[in-house]
Amino acid sequence: MARGENIVRYTQASPTRAAFAVYVTLAAQVLSLTALVVFEQTRGHRLAVQLAEFGGRPHGDDAEAVVGAVTLFAVLIMLVMSTAIAAAAAYVTWLVRARQANDRSAATGPVAAAWLIPGVNLVAPVVLVDEVWRGTRPPAGQRGRWLGLLAGWWVSWLATLALVTVRLPLGSSAGDLTGVGPLELGCVAVAAVLCAATVRELTRLQRTARSSSATVRAAFSSHSRPAPGSTPIGRIG
């Protein structure tokens, strides 16, 4: 790549704000899920039994006995869903900006397709993230560490997905409200931490590359300016 192309490549701001949004939404997701798990462990089973006894439609005094718990449960479910959607939106936004920080012509379509197409979304997202990492031109010797971090994040994410799609429907039929427990919370928390770590690593590399590019531009500009007291070509006296 020519030096001029290298300079233009990092003129866009690195996606630091988008990365911060990922950190915040992931933390909110873990906190909301923690609250739901605590509710499940302390009140969920008893509430599920009560609703089953009332046929799911309590009336009169029976309704007053459970209305507070049902309302709290509904709020927690909405929080978990909204934070999950926010985290997904923040991550996709960050990934789009990270790709465009490497190549301003990078299209947004592949990112959407990688996450939305069934089957493809089991492999493509992690390939795109690795592509961004390679595009930052990281220092030699960091490939093994990066692949370990990337693999840890993706395995933990797939384990979380498996728990949600396979285990939870079975667990929720055993007298629980949702089936969400410490195991699910642990998988989500590990996946969130490792996801944030990959985002942080890529953002750091892009910020470093951008700083280096700015230094090159400044040096190039200073060399191109005429020395003090010299006469530019084409001017006389």
Side-chain angles (χ1 to χ4, degrees):
M1 181 179 290
R3 184 166 67 175
E5 293 175 332
N6 226 358
I7 292 173
V8 171
R9 179 182 171 197
Y10 291 106
T11 54
Q12 291 190 358
S14 61
T16 304
R17 291 185 179 178
F20 181 74
V22 173
Y23 306 147
V24 171
T25 52
L26 285 175
Q29 183 183 17
V30 173
L31 289 175
S32 63
L33 187 59
T34 300
L36 179 61
V37 169
V38 171
F39 181 86
E40 278 274 15
Q41 298 298 306
T42 58
R43 185 70 172 87
H45 181 74
R46 184 156 54 95
L47 180 59
V49 171
Q50 288 176 316
L51 291 176
E53 291 175 349
F54 303 148
R57 299 174 63 88
H59 300 281
D61 294 338
D62 293 336
E64 293 180 5
V66 298
V67 66
V70 170
T71 300
L72 178 57
F73 173 69
V75 170
L76 291 175
I77 288 293
M78 287 189 292
L79 282 175
V80 170
M81 293 180 63
S82 61
T83 54
I85 293 172
Y91 187 85
V92 169
T93 299
W94 167 81
L95 184 54
V96 167
R97 292 183 182 177
R99 294 180 76 239
Q100 291 176 344
N102 284 352
D103 178 7
R104 62 168 56 189
S105 65
T108 60
V111 176
W115 282 102
L116 296 178
I117 298 178
V120 174
N121 57 12
L122 298 178
V123 178
V126 72
V127 173
L128 283 181
V129 174
D130 186 52
E131 178 187 82
V132 174
W133 184 86
R134 286 184 282 109
T136 62
R137 310 238 195 277
Q142 296 188 8
R143 180 68 175 166
R145 172 179 168 274
W146 164 252
L147 288 179
L149 176 61
L150 191 64
W153 164 55
W154 199 243
V155 169
S156 62
W157 162 246
L158 292 179
T160 302
L161 189 63
L163 287 174
V164 171
T165 58
V166 177
R167 188 176 183 276
L168 286 191
L170 299 176
S172 59
S173 63
D176 294 325
L177 292 172
T178 64
V180 177
L183 177 61
E184 290 75 20
L185 175 61
C187 282
V188 169
V190 170
V193 169
L194 293 178
C195 178
T198 61
V199 171
R200 180 179 181 276
E201 177 68 10
L202 285 173
T203 304
R204 181 186 66 81
L205 287 173
Q206 290 186 327
R207 188 165 53 241
T208 300
R210 185 168 176 266
S211 298
S212 300
S213 179
T215 301
V216 170
R217 289 199 304 272
F220 182 78
S221 176
S222 64
H223 285 310
S224 64
R225 286 197 299 266
S230 63
T231 302
I233 297 175
R235 291 183 58 186
I236 301 176

